Coordinates of all heavy atoms in Angstrom, one line a residue:
Q158 N 36.4 7.5 12.2 CA 35.9 8.4 13.2 C 34.9 7.8 14.1 O 34.8 8.2 15.3 CB 35.3 9.6 12.4 CG 34.7 10.7 13.3 CD 34.1 11.9 12.6 OE1 34.1 11.9 11.3 NE2 33.5 12.8 13.3
F159 N 34.1 6.9 13.6 CA 33.0 6.3 14.4 C 33.1 4.9 14.8 O 32.6 4.4 15.8 CB 31.7 6.5 13.6 CG 31.3 7.9 13.4 CD1 31.7 8.5 12.1 CD2 30.6 8.7 14.3 CE1 31.3 9.9 11.9 CE2 30.3 10.0 14.1 CZ 30.7 10.6 12.8
W160 N 33.9 4.1 14.0 CA 34.1 2.7 14.3 C 35.6 2.3 14.1 O 36.2 2.8 13.2 CB 33.2 1.8 13.5 CG 31.8 1.9 13.8 CD1 31.2 1.3 14.9 CD2 30.8 2.5 13.0 NE1 29.8 1.6 14.9 CE2 29.5 2.3 13.7 CE3 30.7 3.2 11.8 CZ2 28.3 2.8 13.2 CZ3 29.5 3.7 11.4 CH2 28.3 3.5 12.1
K161 N 36.0 1.4 15.0 CA 37.3 0.8 14.8 C 37.0 -0.7 14.6 O 36.5 -1.3 15.6 CB 38.3 1.1 16.0 CG 38.7 2.5 16.0 CD 39.5 2.8 17.2 CE 40.1 4.2 17.2 NZ 39.1 5.2 17.0
V162 N 37.3 -1.3 13.5 CA 36.9 -2.6 13.1 C 38.1 -3.3 12.5 O 38.6 -2.9 11.5 CB 35.7 -2.6 12.2 CG1 35.4 -4.1 11.8 CG2 34.5 -1.9 12.8
K163 N 38.5 -4.4 13.1 CA 39.5 -5.3 12.5 C 39.0 -6.7 12.6 O 39.0 -7.3 13.7 CB 40.9 -5.2 13.3 CG 42.0 -6.0 12.6 CD 43.3 -5.7 13.3 CE 44.5 -6.5 12.6 NZ 45.8 -6.2 13.3
T164 N 38.6 -7.3 11.5 CA 37.9 -8.6 11.5 C 37.9 -9.2 10.1 O 38.0 -8.5 9.1 CB 36.5 -8.5 12.0 OG1 36.0 -9.8 12.2 CG2 35.6 -7.7 11.1
A165 N 37.8 -10.5 10.1 CA 37.6 -11.2 8.8 C 36.1 -11.0 8.5 O 35.3 -10.7 9.3 CB 37.9 -12.7 9.0
P166 N 35.8 -11.2 7.2 CA 34.3 -11.1 6.8 C 33.6 -12.3 7.4 O 34.1 -13.3 7.8 CB 34.4 -11.3 5.3 CG 35.6 -12.0 5.0 CD 36.6 -11.6 6.0
P167 N 32.2 -12.1 7.6 CA 31.4 -13.2 8.1 C 31.5 -14.4 7.2 O 31.7 -14.3 6.0 CB 30.0 -12.6 8.1 CG 30.0 -11.5 7.2 CD 31.4 -10.9 7.2
R168 N 31.5 -15.6 7.9 CA 31.6 -16.8 7.1 C 30.5 -17.0 6.1 O 30.6 -17.4 5.0 CB 31.6 -18.1 8.0 CG 31.8 -19.4 7.3 CD 31.6 -20.6 8.2 NE 30.3 -20.6 8.7 CZ 29.2 -21.0 8.0 NH1 29.3 -21.4 6.7 NH2 28.0 -21.1 8.6
V169 N 29.3 -16.6 6.6 CA 28.1 -16.6 5.6 C 28.2 -15.4 4.7 O 28.5 -14.3 5.2 CB 26.8 -16.7 6.4 CG1 26.6 -15.5 7.3 CG2 25.6 -16.8 5.4
A170 N 28.0 -15.6 3.4 CA 28.2 -14.5 2.5 C 26.9 -14.4 1.6 O 26.2 -15.3 1.5 CB 29.4 -14.8 1.6

Side-chain angles (χ1 to χ4, degrees):
Q158 180 182 357
F159 297 95
W160 289 286
K161 292 175 172 53
V162 178
K163 184 175 182 180
T164 186
R168 183 190 62 77
V169 61

